[in-house]
Structures are given as structure tokens and as C-alpha cells.
Amino acid sequence: MAIAEQRIRREFREVIRSEEVERCRIKVELVNDKFNELKGEIAGPPETPYEGGKFQLEIKIPETYPFNPPKVRFVTRIWHPNISSVTGAICLDILKDQWAAAMTLRTVLLSLQALLAAAEPDDPQDAVVARQYKERQDVFQKTATHWTNVYAGGPNHADDLEDKVRQLTNMGFEEDQARVALSSHNWDTAQATDFLLS
Amino acid sequence: MASYFDDHGVNELSENLTSDELPLVMARILLRFGFADDIWLTTMGSDGLGPYPTAKKVIEELPTQIITKEEAEKKNTCSVCLGHLEEDNEVKTLLCKHQFHTKCILPWLEKVNTCPVCREEFATDDPAYEEFRKYKARKKQRDFELDNLHNSMFG
Ligand SMILES: [Zn+2]
Ligand SMILES: [Zn+2]
């Protein structure tokens, strides 16, 4: 048996037995019986805009695992400086050059949870989000909370933001695109419309 | 070009560089002018590990042993495969004292120069990277001395 598969089998047992799973903070599921693709889920950390949300992850295990890191991407859309609001790609050092063979799925999921609690705007994946995070922290918090509500099942509904999205969908724009445009332009409807038309 | 480097005190440059020497010279220039940290980060490669394997000599000289019956009873784990170090398994011990199956640690050290558990750095065979390691060590020493100096004045 290849080392990658053997490792994932052992890790899978480790994660599903862990305390974090018991408390519903992280979750992993197999996608196939080849152990090279998994579905992950992390709960948004308390006292962050992501609180109450459940974020799905796509986890692909390379054949060279654990000598190379797993490829991880957010499937659930999220507004965060280190995660692409469009593709879900993640900028996190341990998934790149700081990976170490002793790390596991459990440490990866916990690190991602920690990233949600402490963004690193100086090493962004999404430059637009990072700029808002640095320059308009209030708008960032509100936007991230709204995205958590819409995409991750978070509890905080924002009627004012929903109204703005509806204004644009009534003009014929697609909902997700409208939300991205508004979020990227600090919820200025005129600027977002210009952007969508350009 | 020569005068520019003379002005800046870079005099190790010879006129006839071979392509092998070029990265080393670049590294020296970058270190001299303090760009090293930035440049190094951008050359590390975006989706992989640092491109520097552990030096062949370091790998060859790692203490190697066969796990005995008594040692196997400790049920120590190899952090690469997550399996136990079982009786008759061949293991290698890194300079940081972390132990792994030989078959598990060799592919890792052939890729990178750090311990998978504690990230202790080992020597590489890459002259430019070795320059950078020396620079980092000097910088660390300097920062340490500065801290000490500061503490002795204000401590
Ligand atoms: Zn092993
Ligand atoms: Zn170590």
C-alpha cells in the first residue's frame, strides 16, 4: 500500500476520534475509497464574523503525501483576506513552503480555523478583501458576517445588505456576482453597478 | 558595471563568471544589500517546499539502527507514516534526536533540509543557500547581542 493511503487511513481514524470532532468543531468525510480526496468542514470560531457558520473544504491528497502538503480549498464562499472570495483558494504558509511531513489533516483543519480567527492581511490571497480589512475594518466585519449568513448558515441576517443585493438582481445581475461587486466596493451601489457593467 | 560594484564594495566578482558561480554571486550581492529575506521568499516556489535537499554527507552520516524487542515495546511512532517503530524496523535519528523509519525519512530529506517534526535546519549542498543560512545565523546572533545590550542598559 502506498504511504499516502496508509497515512490517510491512520489520520482519518485520528481525526474522527479527536476531541474537536466530538465537539463538532471539525469534520472529515471520505469522498471515495481511494483515500485521495476528502471533504472537510470547520466551524467558524467564536467571536469572529464567521461564528455560527459551517465551512466546507475540498481536500485533495497528492500521491507524494505526506512529503507534499494536501491541496485544500474552501468550497463554501467566504470573505477573508487570505482566502479568494471567488475560487476559495487559500494562502497559508503550512499549505505551501512551511509544510512538514509530521503535519496531519487534523493540524491543517485546526490551522485553517486559527486563520479564520486571525487573518494575515499583509500576506493576502484576495487583495480586495485585504484592503478592506486594513482600511475599513467596520465594513469588513459586516461583509464577512453577511457572507457567513448567506453561504455558511450563520445566524446574522443583514436586511440592509440584502436590499442592496436585491436592487442589483432586479436589474438583471446574477446574485453571487452582485454580492461580490457590492462587497468589493464597500456596498456602494453606484460603484458596484459601474463595475458590473464595465 | 565594474565601477558600480567597486563603489559598493563588492570586489569578489570576477570578470569571467561561469554559470555555476552566478547564483552564488547573486546571493552575495543580495546579502550585502540586505534584500535577502525578500528575495529568498520569492524564490522558494509557490506550491512546494524549499528546493534544497539536505546535504548528502549529513544524510550518509545519520545514525542508523535496528529496533530491538525492548525498544519496540515503547511503541514510539514515526511521524511520517504514523506507524509504530516496530521490532526489526530500520530507523534513523536526526541531529535533533527525532527518529523515523529509514524508508520514511529519506524521501523527505532528499527534498528538504528540515526535520518534519521540529523544523530544525540541516546543511545543504547548495552554496548560495548555505550563504543565506550563514547570513541568517549572523543576523540572529546580532539581534541576540542587541537584545542583551539593551537589557543590560535598561534591564
Ligand atoms: Zn515511518
Ligand atoms: Zn526534529
Side-chain angles (χ1 to χ4, degrees), chain A residues 117-175:
Chain A
E120 292 174 31
D122 291 325
D123 188 18
Q125 176 74 38
D126 195 310
V128 175
V129 183
R131 199 169 73 207
Q132 187 181 74
Y133 182 93
K134 286 191 189 175
E135 293 172 3
R136 299 287 305 273
Q137 181 62 219
D138 56 330
V139 178
F140 167 79
Q141 292 279 337
K142 202 168 175 185
T143 308
T145 307
H146 171 62
W147 281 51
T148 304
N149 169 244
V150 174
Y151 297 115
N156 299 305
H157 193 79
D159 286 328
D160 53 336
L161 303 187
E162 279 304 338
D163 284 347
K164 292 191 179 196
V165 173
R166 207 165 309 120
Q167 269 183 47
L168 293 190
T169 53
N170 287 343
M171 291 165 70
F173 296 114
E174 197 261 322
E175 181 182 326

Side-chain angles (χ1 to χ4, degrees), chain B residues 77-104:
Chain B
T77 306
C78 164
S79 304
V80 174
C81 67
L82 303 181
H84 288 134
L85 304 180
E86 291 177 46
E87 189 179 353
D88 292 338
N89 287 172
E90 186 188 314
V91 300
K92 288 195 185 285
T93 308
L94 302 188
L95 302 167
C96 53
K97 302 294 175 222
H98 284 121
Q99 239 177 20
F100 307 88
H101 292 120
T102 297
K103 67 173 172 49
C104 294

Side-chain angles (χ1 to χ4, degrees), chain A residues 52-141:
Chain A
K54 298 265 187 210
F55 297 88
Q56 311 280 335
L57 302 157
E58 174 190 275
I59 305 170
K60 292 193 170 160
I61 308 295
E63 274 174 39
T64 50
Y65 186 81
F67 304 110
N68 283 315
K71 294 192 187 340
V72 187
R73 179 180 82 80
F74 274 79
V75 176
T76 306
R77 301 190 79 161
I78 183 167
W79 192 252
H80 185 288
N82 304 104
I83 303 159
S84 165
S85 58
V86 181
T87 65
I90 303 164
C91 178
L92 180 64
D93 57 359
I94 61 152
L95 294 177
K96 294 176 181 166
D97 56 313
Q98 291 302 304
W99 170 253
M103 290 180 170
T104 62
L105 292 174
R106 179 174 163 270
T107 51
V108 167
L109 294 182
L110 295 180
S111 303
L112 286 172
Q113 229 166 10
L115 184 68
L116 297 194
E120 292 174 31
D122 291 325
D123 188 18
Q125 176 74 38
D126 195 310
V128 175
V129 183
R131 199 169 73 207
Q132 187 181 74
Y133 182 93
K134 286 191 189 175
E135 293 172 3
R136 299 287 305 273
Q137 181 62 219
D138 56 330
V139 178
F140 167 79
Q141 292 279 337

Side-chain angles (χ1 to χ4, degrees), chain A residues 19-59:
Chain A
E19 187 201 4
E20 295 85 18
V21 164
E22 213 169 286
R23 300 199 195 166
C24 304
R25 290 182 189 153
I26 61 173
K27 199 158 112 185
V28 279
E29 274 170 36
L30 290 169
V31 171
N32 57 30
D33 56 7
K34 291 199 296 271
F35 286 80
N36 61 1
E37 198 174 332
L38 300 100
K39 262 196 249 176
E41 188 182 282
I42 56 177
E47 287 163 56
T48 68
Y50 312 105
E51 181 167 13
K54 298 265 187 210
F55 297 88
Q56 311 280 335
L57 302 157
E58 174 190 275
I59 305 170

